[in-house]
Amino acid sequence: MTTAPSDPEAARPNQLVVVANRLPIEYADDSTGATWRRAPGGLVSALEPALAGRPATWIGWSGRASAESEPPLPEEIDGLGIVGVPLTDGQIEQFYEGFSNGALWPLYHDAVVTPSYHRPEYMAYREVNALFAAKAAELAPVGSTVWVHDYQLQLVPKMLRDARPDLRIGFFLHIPFPPVELFAQLPWRRQILEGLLGADLVGFQTHDGALNFLAATRRLMALDPGGDRVNVPDEDGYRSVRVGAFPIGIDATSFDAMARNTAIQARAEEIRAEMGGFRLLFLGVDRLDYTKGIDVRLRAFSEGLAEGLLDPSDVTMLQVAVPSRENVDDYQHIRDDIELLVGRINGDLGRVGDPAIHYLHQSVTREELVAMYLAADVLLVTPLRDGMNLVAKEYVASRVQESGAVVLSEFTGAAQQLTDAFIVNPYDIEGLKRTLAAVAASPPEELSRRMVALRTNVFEDDVDRWVRTFLATLEGHVP
Ligand code: GDG
């Protein structure tokens, strides 16, 4: 069924409508009173350059159950229209915690924990996707561009196209798209593929993701993709959907600028001093998620210490594990596992006032994060699977002295671009251990040569380029 936009006269093809699970704002109840403010970082900063001078509306969930009493959402923030999709506690539990994070998230990350498929949760996923699609259908001006984001909203493109065939619809998946052998497990695999194929452009972080998706359309829908296109039958014959890799970047300049700030540099010195005497600081920063391979790096580091590959008076480690999805069972288990491991390692290898691993289970401000990036000699990024991994890029952008090293899992999207990192297989603890020792023994000139190359990549393929390339491809400005 086709719905008319609320103001069909207002054809504004320049308008951009972003549809994402979360709105780019956060609720703060502090000394200044309860209010909504712009959430720092994230997708909104990413999209900001592209939005400059372009009218834009963002449709998403506020992050709070609709029953909670709080000030109404602002109509706009910094010129960006804000439109909330209220969700009930039950929808959050079933659509978000259930289907999105209990089924899709693990399945799309190589099923590193077993996905759980529950029919009522899928029904809630469909129901919530319909809410988002209806809101976009109601608000998008005639002929405008709608950019839908991520695994929580894969049914939206088709729902939106059915309602509003006049729109240009793009979809970007921030996480990996799995090989068809895994994807085929999903009881609703056909609905998801049909949902995505409602878009004009479906973007992935890597070529492998795009190829996996094309293979799934061939094998599970009997379509016949050719090159970067797949023709989807519709009433008029065929509609051509473009598929491609659009690796996301960061706002490298802003990390570089923060890292040159003297207060942040002083804080970096302070962090090193507070942690005691050592030569090399190894750092991990991740949401506390079972995909991030936090346990793997802790094991490799501690075995390296225990076996004398790493000298305990020479190296130390800081792991920041940012609380995440704490209502989902698997996340409670991973927290217990990691904290047990940290306790064991420190019990075995630490000394009074000098733990082998400094561990924080908390989020930190962006300034503190950059100070940590500046303080650390080696960043450990060892996910078992990760769509891109922005932390790796942020560390590189913050290394204004062109020193430091990145140990990077080959199973991240970032590894496709950051080829001058020390690339590791996170399942191979022996190899990882040897790499940590090799990095610790590397001459500074070698590390600096690698860092210069990494910085070139992170600054060239930045977020501005990502947004421009995706939108230009969607809107037909590039061949
Ligand atoms: C998904 C995909 C893909 C983290 N802790 C704090 C904090 N952060 C910021 C980091 C970084 C972001 O959160 C995390 O991004 P990642 O890319 O590392 O990982 P996911 O959250 O899993 O993101 C991933 C990404 O989407 C984008 O497409 O790369 O593959 O899984 O920006 O800096 N920021 C602050 N305090 C913290 O405690 N300020």
Side-chain angles (χ1 to χ4, degrees):
M1 198 189 74
T2 307
T3 351
S6 51
D7 181 5
E9 296 306 308
R12 278 175 284 152
N14 187 35
Q15 173 101 17
L16 179 66
V17 178
V18 175
V19 186
N21 179 47
R22 289 295 295 272
L23 282 168
I25 59 175
E26 63 184 15
Y27 181 74
D29 192 359
D30 52 25
S31 53
T32 59
T35 178
W36 291 98
R37 64 179 176 213
R38 223 186 93 168
L43 202 52
V44 70
S45 313
L47 291 172
E48 208 160 33
L51 301 182
R54 186 171 180 173
T57 302
W58 192 300
I59 297 174
W61 171 48
S62 69
R64 295 172 67 89
S66 49
E68 289 173 82
S69 65
E70 55 200 20
L73 290 174
E75 283 187 11
E76 61 156 64
I77 280 194
D78 302 342
L80 173 69
I82 299 287
V83 176
V85 179
L87 299 181
T88 64
D89 281 336
Q91 285 168 331
I92 293 161
E93 199 180 312
Q94 305 243 337
F95 146 78
Y96 181 65
E97 290 159 3
F99 196 70
S100 297
N101 290 327
L104 294 174
W105 178 269
L107 177 65
Y108 283 30
H109 289 88
D110 290 356
V112 294
V113 310
T114 307
S116 44
Y117 307 119
H118 299 295
R119 284 164 285 183
E121 292 180 352
Y122 174 71
M123 303 304 264
Y125 182 83
R126 201 176 59 184
E127 177 184 290
V128 171
N129 273 241
L131 294 176
F132 278 80
K135 198 51 105 180
E138 180 195 331
L139 294 176
V142 173
S144 59
T145 296
V146 181
W147 190 358
V148 184
H149 288 265
D150 226 0
Y151 63 103
Q152 303 93 347
L153 300 178
Q154 294 173 97
L155 302 178
V156 169
K158 177 171 186 331
M159 290 171 165
L160 187 53
R161 176 163 304 282
D162 287 347
R164 291 288 308 278
D166 60 293
L167 299 173
R168 226 182 277 112
I169 304 171
F171 180 91
F172 183 77
L173 186 69
H174 290 255
I175 67 174
F177 192 88
V180 61
E181 292 77 6
L182 272 176
F183 181 73
Q185 283 184 11
L186 187 64
W188 305 277
R189 61 199 192 185
R190 190 179 178 89
Q191 289 88 328
I192 295 287
L193 292 175
E194 284 173 357
L196 292 171
L197 288 169
D200 297 292
L201 172 64
V202 186
F204 298 90
Q205 299 274 25
T206 63
H207 287 290
D208 285 343
L211 290 175
N212 287 344
F213 175 72
L214 290 169
T217 67
R218 186 192 304 275
R219 174 144 149 218
L220 303 172
M221 294 184 73
L223 295 175
D224 186 21
D228 64 350
R229 286 181 192 273
V230 47
N231 289 331
V232 182
D234 70 1
E235 300 110 46
D236 308 324
Y238 285 98
R239 203 169 53 75
S240 177
V241 178
R242 193 158 170 171
V243 175
F246 298 85
I248 195 168
I250 61 158
D251 184 354
T253 320
S254 91
F255 279 91
D256 181 277
M258 285 176 79
R260 291 178 198 278
N261 175 306
T262 49
I264 293 180
Q265 290 182 347
R267 176 62 193 145
E269 288 301 320
E270 200 174 74
I271 291 172
R272 287 183 74 97
E274 280 168 356
M275 290 180 67
F278 58 86
R279 186 177 64 92
L280 288 178
L281 171 58
F282 289 71
L283 173 70
V285 178
D286 314 77
R287 275 187 312 97
L288 182 41
D289 193 297
Y290 51 77
T291 61
K292 299 289 183 183
I294 299 172
D295 52 342
V296 165
R297 85 186 64 136
L298 296 180
R299 279 207 179 89
F301 182 75
S302 68
E303 286 187 22
L305 287 177
E307 292 167 17
L309 287 171
L310 296 168
D311 175 358
S313 64
D314 193 43
V315 300
T316 193
M317 178 161 178
L318 169 59
Q319 174 66 52
V320 183
V322 181
S324 181
R325 305 179 190 166
E326 292 179 296
N327 291 332
V328 180
D329 284 349
D330 287 320
Y331 288 77
Q332 291 161 6
H333 299 151
I334 181 76
R335 180 173 180 194
D336 291 345
D337 293 348
I338 298 287
E339 294 183 356
L340 185 68
L341 189 57
V342 170
R344 280 205 180 138
I345 294 170
N346 283 338
D348 288 344
L349 300 170
R351 283 175 306 186
V352 174
D354 185 17
I357 293 168
H358 298 253
Y359 171 80
L360 299 179
H361 177 253
Q362 51 194 255
S363 62
V364 296
T365 64
R366 183 164 269 232
E367 288 73 19
E368 181 76 355
L369 184 65
V370 174
M372 287 174 177
Y373 289 153
L374 270 179
D377 303 285
V378 184
L379 181 77
L380 301 182
V381 181
T382 55
L384 305 177
R385 181 61 74 185
D386 209 336
M388 177 54 62
N389 195 284
L390 298 182
V391 167
K393 294 187 172 187
E394 292 167 3
Y395 175 78
V396 167
S398 305
R399 300 301 300 179
V400 291
Q401 308 291 346
E402 297 175 344
S403 60
V406 182
V407 174
L408 183 59
S409 159
E410 65 184 271
F411 303 121
T412 62
Q416 307 285 315
Q417 298 177 290
L418 303 183
T419 50
D420 286 281
F422 290 83
I423 304 292
V424 292
N425 173 358
Y427 291 95
D428 174 14
I429 302 264
E430 287 298 319
L432 181 50
K433 225 180 347 188
R434 280 197 302 275
T435 303
L436 298 189
V439 175
S442 289
E445 313 78 60
E446 160 68 3
L447 299 182
S448 174
R449 183 195 64 73
R450 287 174 179 254
M451 186 54 71
V452 169
L454 291 170
R455 285 176 66 79
T456 303
N457 184 291
V458 167
F459 280 80
E460 276 180 5
D461 278 344
D462 68 355
V463 72
D464 192 26
R465 175 180 277 196
W466 174 69
V467 172
R468 279 189 286 109
T469 312
F470 186 91
L471 287 178
T473 307
L474 174 59
E475 295 176 340
H477 311 317
V478 273

